[in-house]
Amino acid sequence: MAKSYDLIVLGSGPGGYVAAIRASQLGLKTAIVERENLGGICLNWGCIPTKALLRSAEVFHNMKHAADYGLAAENISADIDAVVKRSRGVASQLNKGVTGLMKKNKIDVIMGDGKIVEKGKVAVKTDKGEEELTAKNIIIATGARARDLPFAKADGKRIWTYRHAMTPPEMPKKLLVIGSGAIGIEFASFYNDMGADVTVVEMMDRVVPVEDEEISKFLEKSLKKQGMTIMTGAGVKSIDAGAKGVKAEIEDSKGKVQKLEFSHVIVAVGIQPNVETVGLDELGIEPDERFHIKTDSMCRTNVEGIYAIGDVTGGPWLAHKASHEGVIAVEAIAGGHPHAMDINNIPGCTYCHPQIASVGLTEAKAKEAGHDVKVGNFPFIGNGKAIALGETEGFIKTVFDAKTGELLGAHMIGAEVTELIQGYTVGKTLETTEAELMNTVFPHPTLSEMMHESVLDAYERVLHM
């Protein structure tokens, strides 16, 4: 006999498990179906364990520069196996935390492959057979996976996706990273700090191409200074993986093809949604041109009673977007009137060295949208806390509408900017103007003072530059 629920959630990543919790809070009897690990890719193989790896690399980097702080550290070395073990331990701890949250909120967890066989009905293949679940509402939160290159299929030995890169069989000596989005640049940064010789190939004309152009240029200069080889406007023509290494043909921006050898390759060229086995075709659920599920402002698909959230839908593909969409979808299901998602108010963070964070429109996008803009910049070198920390690399940029004073966007590169960006995100959500930001008192000495100075600079009132 089928088990009956008010809501079934397919997938327990940051979108799915948050949706399930909110549903429980609103009194909905809820089941969550997961085929692998509670917490999804983010907690187990994405956001969290990669930050644990990057933290180890950051500490290792600081230890190697101990003399800059009047300290002595000799015979510094890194144990990649121990670093990975710590990262997996962090992931395991959070997985257990999500398990506890499911129990606390009385959410039924069914481990297995779920498929929507008809409206309101889900069949789950478990290790004990098949279970049938019914619910008036279903949320698809099945996420996405790394996209392969046809000529560079990941084998886990020489050619890696992000999952292989998190549990490497060995430390790469000479690493090729294909793609300079957040995932590619974070792994390039990690392995470079750990001692690998890193080359990054990006087909666009600049690294982290979704970011503001000034941020991209600054990051490329920094990465090269750290010893990386950066090839933009370039493409990998072929990959030949052997037992001892990888041979790659790379066409540079001038059309010249180079034959280079590497020990390992990380392919980081985007994602593809996990939609093949969910039952979309049978139900007539509409995908977009990239096969992600189309949804409206309340996360509804074109089929009544079926919602979709997170990486299985359109971008930006970020864990915090998925979580917020989960809340929106559930509150709509429960009869509430949640605010629709405004993607211009979703911050993006990249945890390379130096860090990058942004929210809203870049300067170029603001101009394309017809805005007459005012732009402010403030460098880390002008901030007392940054100097005291020994972190003087970076800057903060703000973009305003010249007529209304509306904050259109903010873009940062430097130490801890992934923590600072939320100040601007709150401001954008509250539809702030330059006046409120100028009249906000920022604590001293902090890195956040640079946020204030950047706003002042946009209006020719900067104090410390």
Side-chain angles (χ1 to χ4, degrees), residues 200-419:
V200 177
V201 173
E202 169 58 53
M203 65 180 296
M204 302 296 284
D205 63 354
R206 55 192 176 92
V207 294
V208 289
V210 300
E211 300 293 344
D212 187 89
E213 189 171 353
E214 285 188 74
I215 298 290
S216 294
K217 289 179 178 178
F218 192 100
L219 179 63
E220 181 173 341
K221 184 178 179 181
S222 176
L223 297 180
K224 287 179 176 177
K225 185 179 178 182
Q226 294 173 43
M228 287 192 213
T229 299
I230 307 294
M231 302 176 69
T232 55
V236 178
K237 308 296 288 183
S238 68
I239 292 286
D240 181 16
K244 295 183 178 180
V246 179
K247 295 179 180 179
E249 288 189 328
I250 302 173
E251 183 177 359
D252 65 21
S253 58
K254 297 179 181 178
K256 180 182 177 182
V257 177
Q258 301 181 55
K259 295 182 179 180
L260 303 172
E261 294 187 10
F262 302 90
S263 65
H264 301 81
V265 177
I266 295 176
V267 179
V269 292
I271 61 170
Q272 58 189 86
N274 295 321
V275 295
E276 293 86 352
T277 62
V278 179
L280 304 190
D281 292 340
E282 295 87 340
L283 291 163
I285 295 176
E286 295 178 357
D288 63 19
E289 65 278 0
R290 300 181 71 174
F291 303 105
H292 292 264
I293 298 172
K294 287 183 180 179
T295 57
D296 66 9
S297 62
M298 293 293 111
C299 305
R300 294 177 288 231
T301 70
N302 62 301
V303 177
E304 185 182 3
I306 299 180
Y307 297 69
I309 61 174
D311 288 0
V312 78
T313 67
W317 298 294
L318 301 166
H320 42 283
K321 170 181 173 281
S323 296
H324 199 73
E325 284 178 326
V327 172
I328 290 172
V330 167
E331 290 185 353
I333 287 168
H337 302 281
H339 290 287
M341 177 80 76
D342 182 348
I343 62 171
N344 283 320
N345 292 342
I346 302 173
C349 298
T350 304
Y351 299 81
C352 51
H353 177 211
Q355 294 180 7
I356 296 171
S358 60
V359 65
L361 299 176
T362 65
E363 180 180 356
K365 290 292 185 183
K367 290 177 178 176
E368 285 177 21
H371 294 279
D372 182 16
V373 300
K374 284 185 176 291
V375 177
N377 275 282
F378 194 83
F380 270 57
I381 192 65
N383 177 263
K385 179 69 178 292
I387 294 170
L389 290 175
E391 298 284 1
T392 57
E393 183 182 38
F395 69 92
I396 292 178
K397 177 176 180 177
T398 45
V399 182
F400 294 89
D401 182 279
K403 296 178 181 177
T404 65
E406 178 189 358
L407 175 65
L408 299 175
H411 311 276
M412 308 175 170
I413 184 167
E416 301 305 324
V417 296
T418 55
E419 298 293 337

Side-chain angles (χ1 to χ4, degrees), residues 424-440:
Y424 284 134
T425 303
V426 171
K428 274 192 58 51
T429 302
L430 295 175
E431 300 180 350
T432 193
T433 69
E434 91 290 354
E436 287 80 21
L437 290 169
M438 285 183 182
N439 287 307
T440 297

Side-chain angles (χ1 to χ4, degrees), residues 28 49 67 72 84 137 146 186 214 311 327 386 450 453:
L28 302 179
V84 170
N137 296 288
E186 286 183 0
E214 285 188 74
D311 288 0
V327 172
M450 291 183 287
E453 293 279 12

